[in-house]
């Protein structure tokens, strides 16, 4: 089983620790997990694992988009906290046609609703978890832990 985790702009402090947490959780579930990230997000994730304890598999987000095909991954998890992240999630979800989970978060409740709406209007069948969070990763973690049980 293979999982793909999408990271966008690392401006939100909660994304990086959650990326490592999600990678670890999926790996423990038996997924061969890949993180596709932009260069800045990738650097932050690498620095978060200086001893390479997690053996993180990081790839460039845009390069990955250019080479994926339907069926390449069994699970898609996307961090959605900006318009661009919602667009990337919808695009990957549309191509992969697999189980997917969108972790939608922002410090602004209206933005959370906007990003959820973008995903729903795309025709995606993704499981969407939405929470108002920015600095504190705990609300995202709680929602992720609950949602990921549906994929076990």
């Amino acid at each position: 089983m293979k999982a793909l985790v999408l990271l966008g702009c690392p401006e939100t402090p909660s994304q990086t620790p959650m990326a490592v947490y999600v990678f670890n959780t999926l790996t423990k579930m038996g997924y061969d997990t890949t993180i596709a990230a932009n260069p800045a997000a990738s650097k932050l994730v690498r620095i978060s694992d200086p001893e390479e304890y997690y053996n993180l598999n990081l790839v460039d987000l845009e390069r990955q988009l250019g080479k994926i095909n339907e069926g390449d991954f069994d699970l898609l998890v996307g961090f959605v906290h900006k318009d661009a992240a919602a667009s990337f999630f919808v695009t990957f979800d549309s191509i992969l046609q697999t189980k997917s989970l969108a972790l939608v978060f922002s410090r602004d409740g209206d933005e959370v609703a906007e990003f959820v709406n973008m995903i729903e209007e795309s025709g995606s069948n993704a499981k969407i978890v939405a929470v108002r969070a920015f600095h504190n990763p705990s609300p995202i973690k709680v929602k992720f832990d609950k949602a990921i049980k549906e994929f076990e």
Side-chain angles (χ1 to χ4, degrees):
M1 294 189 309
K2 294 172 70 174
L4 181 63
V5 178
L6 302 179
L7 302 182
C9 174
E11 102 182 8
T12 172
S14 57
Q15 178 178 262
T16 301
M18 279 303 304
V20 174
Y21 181 81
V22 167
F23 181 92
N24 184 56
T25 300
L26 296 177
T27 300
K28 283 183 174 181
M29 290 173 64
Y31 286 96
D32 175 10
T33 307
T34 300
I35 297 175
N38 72 21
S42 185
K43 286 176 187 170
L44 286 173
V45 171
R46 278 194 202 288
I47 288 171
S48 297
D49 185 26
E51 300 296 321
E52 297 182 6
Y53 174 78
Y54 292 103
N55 194 26
L56 299 168
N57 180 17
L58 286 155
V59 298
D60 182 83
L61 180 65
E62 291 191 22
R63 283 192 192 124
Q64 188 69 28
L65 179 58
K67 66 180 192 176
I68 63 163
N69 295 296
E70 183 175 343
D72 285 350
F73 292 92
D74 304 294
L75 175 64
L76 172 66
V77 177
F79 286 79
V80 179
H81 64 282
K82 297 190 85 57
D83 288 348
S87 294
F88 270 111
F89 179 81
V90 166
T91 302
F92 274 85
D93 186 47
S94 168
I95 294 168
L96 290 172
Q97 295 293 307
T98 193
K99 300 180 293 186
S100 57
L101 172 61
L103 302 173
V104 179
F105 60 100
S106 173
R107 68 173 73 191
D108 180 322
D110 290 338
E111 277 189 341
V112 170
E114 176 186 331
F115 302 148
V116 167
N117 192 42
M118 287 174 68
I119 295 167
E120 289 175 342
E121 287 183 352
S122 76
S124 172
N125 290 319
K127 168 79 176 164
I128 301 171
V129 295
V131 62
R132 203 167 153 225
F134 188 76
H135 290 97
N136 181 2
S138 294
I140 304 166
K141 178 191 173 299
V142 168
K143 293 271 190 165
F144 170 76
D145 286 343
K146 184 176 179 183
I148 200 64
K149 288 180 181 178
E150 295 180 26
F151 296 99
E152 289 184 308

